[in-house]
Amino acid sequence: AQTVTQSQPEMSVQEAETVTLSCTYDTSESDYYLFWYKQPPSRQMILVIRQEAYKQQNATENRFSVNFQKAAKSFSLKISDSQLGDAAMYFCAYRSGTGGGADGLTFGKGTHLIIQP
Amino acid sequence: GAGVSQSPSNKVTEKGKDVELRCDPISGHTALYWYRQSLGQGLEFLIYFQGNSAPDKSGLPSDRFSAERTGGSVSTLTIQRTQQEDSAVYLCASSLAVSGGQETQYFGPGTRLLVL
């Protein structure tokens, strides 16, 4: 079974600065997808960014980018120019590329990101 | 367009009662997922529906849990004889037809269940 580990229960960053959230995963599969989801106090999980394992290029979405190290099974999220609205729980998630979706997403425990004004 | 909706938003019930949680997926999404989010266990995948096909129920926590999806759209998660350990946020997500796991799942706001 796959596992996802987020080793930082909480991170704090000053507004406008850059912060990196860590995620490692364990899998024996070669075909999979990785995601970062954001969950604000409203509870709604919002997709931040996704990465296909077969792509070597790191995904980027505006201020959000990932550092995907497939051999090390590492998938960190970098948030540049942090804004107050970025404050939330961030979850790293894994999904198998096989199995037809029956496995759902496997989530890490989450990192609580605090933005200091 | 409308996102995934869930009802009720919050539910308080007494131990031993049955509860029904509803999920309305995004129009056109044929795949639907249920997850449970609790302090102790984090986010757990419960069950997945693809269209009208029979789901794999092996992820459900116990036989008190059941789920159905009518007409390939709305889904109901039912918990019978609720226990205090069932207290959690139940999240529903939907996506376009699954093809290799790449489809993005869009989540609803969840139902917070409290069993007294």
Side-chain angles (χ1 to χ4, degrees):
Chain A
Q2 296 81 23
T3 59
V4 177
T5 302
Q6 293 179 250
S7 59
Q8 305 152 316
E10 187 173 281
M11 292 282 286
S12 181
V13 63
Q14 290 291 129
E15 193 176 2
E17 297 199 341
T18 295
V19 64
T20 299
L21 308 184
S22 301
C23 172
T24 59
Y25 58 95
D26 188 22
T27 184
S28 58
E29 298 179 329
S30 58
D31 183 17
Y32 53 87
Y33 301 85
L34 297 165
F35 307 83
W36 278 99
Y37 277 89
K38 167 185 176 180
Q39 187 180 40
S42 66
R43 293 199 309 248
Q44 185 122 24
M45 298 281 277
I46 302 164
L47 178 68
V48 174
I49 199 165
R50 57 176 281 162
Q51 175 80 42
E52 292 84 351
Y54 62 83
K55 289 187 177 178
Q56 292 184 334
Q57 186 172 4
N58 289 323
T60 298
E61 287 288 341
N62 301 311
R63 298 183 295 107
F64 299 87
S65 62
V66 298
N67 183 5
F68 174 47
Q69 301 289 328
K70 191 171 184 179
K73 296 179 182 174
S74 171
F75 182 61
S76 61
L77 175 69
K78 185 172 85 171
I79 306 173
S80 302
D81 185 26
S82 299
Q83 299 176 2
L84 294 177
D86 295 334
M89 283 291 292
Y90 285 80
F91 292 93
C92 180
Y94 171 103
R95 187 165 192 200
S96 172
T98 59
D103 295 334
L105 290 164
T106 299
F107 286 92
K109 294 291 188 185
T111 296
H112 181 209
L113 179 63
I114 298 168
I115 310 295
Q116 305 279 5
Chain B
V4 177
S5 61
Q6 292 186 246
S7 61
S9 179
N10 296 281
K11 176 73 176 178
V12 180
T13 191
E14 293 179 349
K15 178 182 172 180
K17 300 282 190 182
D18 297 352
V19 295
E20 282 191 356
L21 313 180
R22 177 189 167 106
C23 172
D24 220 322
I26 292 172
S27 178
H29 281 191
T30 58
L32 186 148
Y33 309 80
W34 283 99
Y35 294 85
R36 181 169 71 172
Q37 185 174 24
S38 59
L39 282 175
Q41 301 299 321
L43 276 152
E44 307 169 83
F45 168 65
L46 299 180
I47 195 167
Y48 152 75
F49 292 89
Q50 175 59 48
N52 290 322
S53 59
D56 177 359
K57 301 179 182 179
S58 61
L60 295 176
S62 76
D63 58 9
R64 297 184 294 103
F65 286 71
S66 62
E68 64 177 19
R69 189 177 186 191
T70 53
S73 182
V74 171
S75 177
T76 302
L77 179 68
T78 301
I79 310 173
Q80 295 179 309
R81 305 180 304 282
T82 52
Q83 303 294 311
Q84 289 180 331
E85 64 260 28
D86 299 333
S87 296
V89 174
Y90 290 83
L91 295 167
C92 176
S94 71
S95 74
L96 294 170
V98 172
S99 174
Q102 62 183 312
E103 298 72 22
T104 295
Q105 295 181 27
Y106 296 88
F107 284 79
T111 293
R112 182 181 297 279
L113 175 66
L114 177 61
V115 182
L116 300 176

